[in-house]
Amino acid sequence: QQNNDGTLTVTDPATGKTTTIRTDPDGKNPVMTIETEEGKATWGGGPVKKPAWLPSYPGEEVRGTFHTQSGDGEAGAYAFETTDAPEKVAEFFKKAFERAGLTPQVTTVQSDDGRMVMTTGSDEKNKRQASATAMLGKDGKVMVSVQFSEKP
Protein backbone atom coordinates (compact mmCIF):
# COMPACT_ATOMS: atom_id res chain seq x y z
CA GLN A 1 0.00 0.00 0.00
CA GLN A 2 1.53 3.34 -1.10
CA ASN A 3 0.38 6.70 0.26
CA ASN A 4 0.94 10.20 -1.11
CA ASP A 5 2.83 11.12 2.07
CA GLY A 6 5.93 9.16 1.01
CA THR A 7 4.98 6.01 2.93
CA LEU A 8 4.93 2.51 1.48
CA THR A 9 3.70 -0.41 3.62
CA VAL A 10 4.33 -3.99 2.53
CA THR A 11 2.75 -7.01 4.25
CA ASP A 12 4.18 -10.50 3.88
CA PRO A 13 1.15 -12.65 3.04
CA ALA A 14 2.75 -15.75 4.57
CA THR A 15 3.58 -14.21 7.97
CA GLY A 16 1.42 -11.10 8.17
CA LYS A 17 4.50 -9.07 9.17
CA THR A 18 4.71 -5.56 7.79
CA THR A 19 7.57 -3.41 6.60
CA THR A 20 7.08 0.33 6.30
CA ILE A 21 9.30 2.50 4.13
CA ARG A 22 9.14 6.25 4.63
CA THR A 23 10.68 8.93 2.43
CA ASP A 24 10.31 12.67 2.22
CA PRO A 25 7.58 13.16 -0.41
CA ASP A 26 8.76 16.60 -1.55
CA GLY A 27 12.47 15.70 -1.66
CA LYS A 28 13.58 18.58 0.58
CA ASN A 29 14.92 16.29 3.31
CA PRO A 30 16.54 13.28 1.62
CA VAL A 31 15.90 10.71 4.36
CA MET A 32 14.62 7.15 4.09
CA THR A 33 13.44 5.03 7.03
CA ILE A 34 12.62 1.33 6.95
CA GLU A 35 10.71 0.01 9.95
CA THR A 36 9.75 -3.54 10.92
CA GLU A 37 8.65 -5.21 14.16
CA GLU A 38 12.34 -5.91 14.90
CA GLY A 39 13.52 -2.29 14.63
CA LYS A 40 14.20 0.52 12.21
CA ALA A 41 17.00 1.93 10.07
CA THR A 42 17.36 5.47 8.74
CA TRP A 43 19.63 6.81 5.99
CA GLY A 44 20.02 10.32 4.70
CA GLY A 45 21.20 13.84 5.20
CA GLY A 46 19.01 14.77 8.14
CA PRO A 47 20.17 15.35 11.69
CA VAL A 48 22.27 12.57 13.16
CA LYS A 49 20.90 10.67 16.14
CA LYS A 50 23.88 9.83 18.31
CA PRO A 51 24.31 8.84 21.94
CA ALA A 52 24.78 11.52 24.59
CA TRP A 53 28.30 10.26 25.32
CA LEU A 54 29.46 11.13 21.78
CA PRO A 55 29.94 14.91 21.44
CA SER A 56 29.83 16.91 18.22
CA TYR A 57 33.10 18.10 16.74
CA PRO A 58 33.37 21.92 16.83
CA GLY A 59 31.82 23.36 13.68
CA GLU A 60 30.74 19.96 12.36
CA GLU A 61 28.20 20.10 9.55
CA VAL A 62 26.94 16.58 9.01
CA ARG A 63 26.83 15.52 5.34
CA GLY A 64 25.38 12.02 5.55
CA THR A 65 23.91 9.81 8.24
CA PHE A 66 22.90 6.26 9.03
CA HIS A 67 21.14 5.04 12.16
CA THR A 68 19.65 1.72 13.17
CA GLN A 69 17.87 0.63 16.32
CA SER A 70 16.60 -2.80 17.32
CA GLY A 71 16.46 -5.15 20.28
CA ASP A 72 20.15 -5.85 19.64
CA GLY A 73 21.08 -2.22 20.29
CA GLU A 74 21.75 0.97 18.44
CA ALA A 75 24.35 1.88 15.82
CA GLY A 76 25.01 4.75 13.51
CA ALA A 77 27.45 6.64 11.36
CA TYR A 78 27.87 10.12 9.99
CA ALA A 79 30.40 12.17 8.04
CA PHE A 80 31.60 15.74 7.98
CA GLU A 81 34.40 17.85 6.53
CA THR A 82 36.81 20.11 8.40
CA THR A 83 39.86 22.27 7.73
CA ASP A 84 41.55 20.97 10.90
CA ALA A 85 44.46 18.54 10.66
CA PRO A 86 43.61 14.85 11.08
CA GLU A 87 45.72 14.77 14.26
CA LYS A 88 43.60 17.53 15.83
CA VAL A 89 40.42 15.60 15.01
CA ALA A 90 41.96 12.43 16.47
CA GLU A 91 42.92 14.23 19.69
CA PHE A 92 39.38 15.58 20.09
CA PHE A 93 37.81 12.13 19.72
CA LYS A 94 40.48 10.46 21.87
CA LYS A 95 39.58 12.80 24.75
CA ALA A 96 35.84 12.41 24.06
CA PHE A 97 36.14 8.61 24.10
CA GLU A 98 38.13 8.73 27.36
CA ARG A 99 35.47 10.95 29.00
CA ALA A 100 32.82 8.44 27.88
CA GLY A 101 34.68 5.56 29.52
CA LEU A 102 35.96 4.05 26.29
CA THR A 103 39.56 2.88 25.97
CA PRO A 104 40.94 4.79 22.96
CA GLN A 105 43.62 3.87 20.46
CA VAL A 106 45.01 6.12 17.70
CA THR A 107 46.52 4.81 14.46
CA THR A 108 48.11 6.90 11.68
CA VAL A 109 48.58 5.69 8.11
CA GLN A 110 50.49 7.67 5.46
CA SER A 111 50.08 6.88 1.76
CA ASP A 112 50.65 8.52 -1.63
CA ASP A 113 47.01 9.63 -1.57
CA GLY A 114 47.18 11.37 1.80
CA ARG A 115 47.18 10.74 5.53
CA MET A 116 44.58 8.97 7.64
CA VAL A 117 44.30 9.06 11.43
CA MET A 118 41.86 6.63 13.02
CA THR A 119 40.72 6.83 16.63
CA THR A 120 38.89 3.81 17.99
CA GLY A 121 37.43 3.23 21.42
CA SER A 122 35.60 0.48 23.22
CA ASP A 123 33.96 -0.06 26.58
CA GLU A 124 33.26 -3.76 27.08
CA LYS A 125 31.44 -3.19 30.40
CA ASN A 126 28.86 -0.83 28.91
CA LYS A 127 28.89 -2.60 25.51
CA ARG A 128 29.70 0.42 23.39
CA GLN A 129 32.19 1.20 20.66
CA ALA A 130 33.08 4.15 18.50
CA SER A 131 35.57 5.18 15.86
CA ALA A 132 36.47 8.42 14.10
CA THR A 133 38.56 8.37 10.94
CA ALA A 134 40.01 11.65 9.63
CA MET A 135 41.47 11.46 6.13
CA LEU A 136 43.53 14.23 4.54
CA GLY A 137 43.34 13.99 0.77
CA LYS A 138 45.60 15.45 -1.90
CA ASP A 139 43.13 18.31 -2.25
CA GLY A 140 43.86 19.41 1.34
CA LYS A 141 40.36 18.58 2.58
CA VAL A 142 39.87 16.47 5.69
CA MET A 143 36.89 14.13 5.58
CA VAL A 144 35.81 12.63 8.90
CA SER A 145 33.71 9.51 9.29
CA VAL A 146 32.34 8.60 12.73
CA GLN A 147 30.73 5.27 13.67
CA PHE A 148 29.21 4.20 16.98
CA SER A 149 27.35 1.28 18.50
CA GLU A 150 25.79 0.47 21.83
CA LYS A 151 24.16 -2.74 23.01
CA PRO A 152 21.66 -3.16 25.84
Side-chain angles (χ1 to χ4, degrees):
Q1 172 185 4
Q2 186 167 0
N3 300 322
N4 291 333
D5 66 355
T7 301
L8 172 67
T9 302
V10 180
T11 303
D12 182 336
T15 65
K17 291 184 177 185
T18 62
T19 299
T20 303
I21 303 169
R22 291 184 184 84
T23 61
D24 179 21
D26 61 12
K28 292 180 182 175
N29 188 15
V31 175
M32 179 175 73
T33 300
I34 298 177
E35 190 168 353
T36 68
E37 294 172 10
E38 288 81 25
K40 71 178 182 177
T42 303
W43 297 264
V48 63
K49 181 181 177 190
K50 56 186 168 182
W53 51 266
L54 185 61
S56 296
Y57 189 79
E60 107 184 350
E61 291 183 31
V62 174
R63 296 184 181 257
T65 65
F66 168 76
H67 183 262
T68 183
Q69 189 169 8
S70 72
D72 291 334
E74 186 171 3
Y78 63 98
F80 65 93
E81 189 176 285
T82 181
T83 57
D84 293 338
E87 292 77 10
K88 184 174 181 178
V89 175
E91 186 62 24
F92 173 87
F93 281 103
K94 179 182 178 204
K95 289 178 180 176
F97 293 171
E98 287 173 342
R99 283 191 301 274
L102 281 70
T103 302
Q105 181 176 342
V106 178
T107 306
T108 302
V109 177
Q110 183 73 40
S111 73
D112 292 339
D113 294 327
R115 185 171 71 252
M116 177 180 76
V117 183
M118 183 173 181
T119 308
T120 60
S122 63
D123 176 358
E124 298 303 319
K125 179 183 173 193
N126 292 311
K127 300 179 184 174
R128 49 190 185 183
Q129 298 178 332
S131 69
T133 303
M135 190 174 319
L136 174 64
K138 286 183 176 181
D139 60 3
K141 294 180 181 177
V142 175
M143 287 301 301
V144 182
S145 173
V146 180
Q147 296 85 32
F148 56 89
S149 67
E150 192 166 26
K151 296 188 178 202

